[in-house]
Amino acid sequence: MTGSSRGRASATEPAWVEHAIWWQVYPLGFVGAYPADTPPAAGEHRLRHVVQWLDHVIGLGASGLALGPIFASRTHGYDTTDHYRIDPRLGDDGDFDHLIAEARSRGLRVLLDGVFNHVGTEFANTSWFRKQRNGSGFDTFEGHGDLIALDHDNPEVVDYTVDVMTHWLGRGADGWRLDAAYAVPDRFWAQVLPRVRSVFPEAWFVGEVIHGDYSARVRDGGFDSVTQYELWKAIWSGLNDGNFHEIDWALVRHSEFLDAFVPMTFVGNHDVTRIASRLENTKHLAHALVILLTTGGTPSIYAGDEFAYRGIKEERFGGDDAVRPEFGAPPDGVDQLGRDEFRLHQYLIGLRRRHPWLHTAHTSPLQLTNRQYVYQTRNGADALVVALNIGDEPLSVSLPQLGFDHGTILAGSGAPPQDIVSQVEVEPHGWLIISPAARQ
C-alpha cells in the first residue's frame, strides 16, 4: 500500500489555494438585510457586521472568507443591477474596504460571488439582454422572469465582465465564485478568464457547476475549479441510505477529477438544506465532515454548519430563507449551541492544515460494505487511513491485512489519539483517522 496516487491542481491554480479552507457567508441574510420588512439603508453599514465574525473564522481554523453576492440588487442578490456598486442594504465602498482590510490583517483571503449569466430587470443596459429566438422578449434564467439572461456573444458583455472582475480584484479580493457558470457558454469564460488572469495571475476562479462533465468545463472554460455537487450528494444520501458503495463510487469519480483539477468541496452551502437537517442520524455529521476534510479538494464550510445549525430548503418563494438566517454576535465561550460540532470542526480543520498534501490526495477503498468503509487517502508517500462505521456492530480493522505494519490514531470516536495500533475496533456509528506506517 505504498502507491504514488497523486492529484494535481489545474495549470492555472495559484499556489496559495493548497492551504485554503473557506468559511462561506450569504451576506444579505447574515446581516439581516434580506428578507426584511424595511430594507436597511447604506448608512447602517451592515456589511461591517461580518467583521465581528472574522476572529471566529480564525478560531475555527479557516483561512478564507467566501462571500455571497454583495453588489446592488433588488432582492436576493442574484438579480444584480450594478456590479460596480455595493448593495446599499449592506453599505458602501468604505464598508467593503474595511472588511478587506480587517480580513487582510488576520491573513484571511476573500472570495467574491459574481453573477454574470443573468441580471435583474433594473439592470441599466438592456441592449445586452439576450433576445428569445422568436423575438418576442428576452431569455431568462431557468424561467425566472426577474432574472434576464445576458447575451454572452456580445463583445461588450465580455469586456464588461472582465472590467468588473478586475475592478474588485484591484480593490483587494482574491478570487471569484462564478454563479450559474453551467448556464454560460464555455467560450465566454474562455474569453474572460485569461484576460483577468493577465492582470491578476494569483486570482482563483471557481465555477458553480451542478452536473455534467466537470473536467471538460474546467478545460474549455478555463476555470481553476468547479463546485463538487456529485460528492456532496453522495455523502448525505450514502450516509442516510446506509450505502457506502455510493460514496465510494463518488470518490472514484472525485479522484478522476483530481487528475485534472482540484474541485471545491462542501457538505453545505447557501443553496441546499443544511447537513444537520439533511442527515437522518445526527451522529453521522462527524462522518460527513471526516470525508470532507480527509479527501482531495478545496473545502468550504457554510457559516453555521460548524454549530450544527438546522435549515431546510424548500422549492417555493422564500424557500431559501431558512438556510440563509441572520447571525447575531459571535458566540462567547464553550457553552454555545453545537459546541461539540464546533470542536470537531476545529480539530479536523487543524488536521487538514497540518497535512496540506491532502489538497490533491486520491482515495482508494481498503474495506467496503454497505455500512462500514475503510479508505486510504494518499498523495505520494503521504497517507492516512480513514475508518467509518455507520452500522450497529463494531468495525474491525487490521492494518497488517491492509498492507501496513501498524499505525498511529490521530483522531476518532471512542479512542484516545496517538495510540499506536496494528488492530483496532471502530465503535458502532464511530470513526477513526489513522496515520499508517508502511510495511518494511
Side-chain angles (χ1 to χ4, degrees), residues 3 9 18 39 47 101 108 111 117 175 186 188 194 204 221-222 255 278 289 315 324-325 343 364 415 429:
E18 177 183 7
L47 188 59
L108 293 171
L111 186 71
N117 174 67
D186 289 332
F188 175 81
W204 184 64
S255 290
R278 178 71 77 171
L289 192 63
E315 296 301 327
R324 302 175 178 180
R343 288 168 173 162
S364 55
H429 303 278

Side-chain angles (χ1 to χ4, degrees), residues 24-276:
Q24 187 211 350
V25 168
Y26 173 75
L28 288 167
F30 192 90
V31 305
Y34 178 82
D37 291 336
T38 303
E44 296 183 32
H45 305 287
R46 292 207 182 188
L47 188 59
R48 295 187 181 226
H49 178 62
V50 179
V51 173
Q52 300 177 37
W53 282 80
L54 296 184
D55 288 338
H56 168 80
V57 180
I58 295 296
L60 182 64
S63 59
L65 175 67
L67 291 171
I70 60 171
F71 307 118
S73 71
R74 191 172 62 85
T75 60
H76 46 59
Y78 290 99
D79 53 344
T80 315
T81 57
D82 186 347
H83 291 86
Y84 292 104
R85 184 186 181 202
I86 297 298
D87 195 307
R89 294 171 294 174
L90 296 174
D92 54 28
D93 277 6
D95 300 315
F96 175 82
D97 293 341
H98 178 69
L99 176 58
I100 291 290
E102 291 294 322
R104 283 284 176 272
S105 72
R106 295 166 173 81
L108 293 171
R109 301 276 181 172
V110 177
L111 186 71
L112 298 182
D113 197 347
V115 191
F116 300 107
N117 174 67
H118 52 269
V119 292
T121 55
E122 297 175 6
F123 187 78
N125 198 332
T126 59
S127 68
W128 292 351
F129 292 178
R130 188 173 71 221
K131 294 181 175 61
Q132 292 179 344
R133 290 183 179 179
N134 61 15
S136 63
F138 299 116
D139 283 335
T140 62
F141 174 59
E142 298 182 350
H144 299 286
D146 54 349
L147 302 177
I148 310 299
L150 290 170
D151 179 2
H152 297 101
D153 291 323
N154 185 332
E156 292 182 357
V157 175
V158 173
D159 292 343
Y160 174 80
T161 304
V162 170
D163 194 66
V164 169
M165 292 174 71
T166 54
H167 172 81
W168 292 105
L169 290 169
R171 294 286 294 269
D174 294 284
W176 286 89
R177 172 195 177 271
L178 298 167
D179 183 71
Y182 59 89
V184 178
D186 289 332
R187 62 181 179 273
F188 175 81
W189 300 119
Q191 294 177 76
V192 168
L193 296 181
R195 290 173 57 184
V196 180
R197 279 199 188 93
S198 70
V199 184
F200 294 98
E202 287 298 298
W204 184 64
F205 306 98
V206 55
E208 184 199 16
V209 179
I210 298 175
H211 43 64
D213 189 337
Y214 290 172
S215 297
R217 298 310 297 259
V218 169
R219 180 188 67 242
D220 297 338
F223 304 106
D224 294 306
S225 180
V226 296
T227 49
Q228 225 303 27
Y229 270 91
E230 284 188 13
L231 184 58
W232 160 79
K233 189 271 178 184
I235 289 173
W236 63 259
S237 66
L239 292 173
N240 279 349
D241 295 344
N243 184 10
F244 272 126
H245 293 277
E246 178 182 3
I247 296 174
D248 182 65
W249 182 91
L251 286 173
V252 170
R253 287 265 296 171
H254 190 62
S255 290
E256 293 172 357
F257 299 142
L258 284 161
D259 288 334
F261 71 98
V262 181
M264 186 181 198
T265 52
F266 58 94
V267 294
N269 66 30
H270 66 296
D271 280 329
V272 300
T273 291
R274 286 193 180 269
I275 189 67

Side-chain angles (χ1 to χ4, degrees), residues 306-354:
E306 69 270 34
F307 301 123
Y309 278 14
R310 269 62 169 180
I312 296 175
K313 176 185 173 70
E314 299 177 357
E315 296 301 327
R316 59 173 178 81
F317 179 78
D320 293 314
D321 296 350
V323 298
R324 302 175 178 180
E326 182 176 359
F327 280 57
D332 183 20
V334 296
D335 294 326
Q336 73 270 19
L337 174 71
R339 60 185 180 274
D340 292 338
E341 289 81 3
F342 178 73
R343 288 168 173 162
L344 179 61
H345 275 78
Q346 280 185 310
Y347 189 88
L348 291 175
I349 290 172
L351 183 147
R352 176 75 174 216
R353 297 189 69 173
R354 291 190 299 274

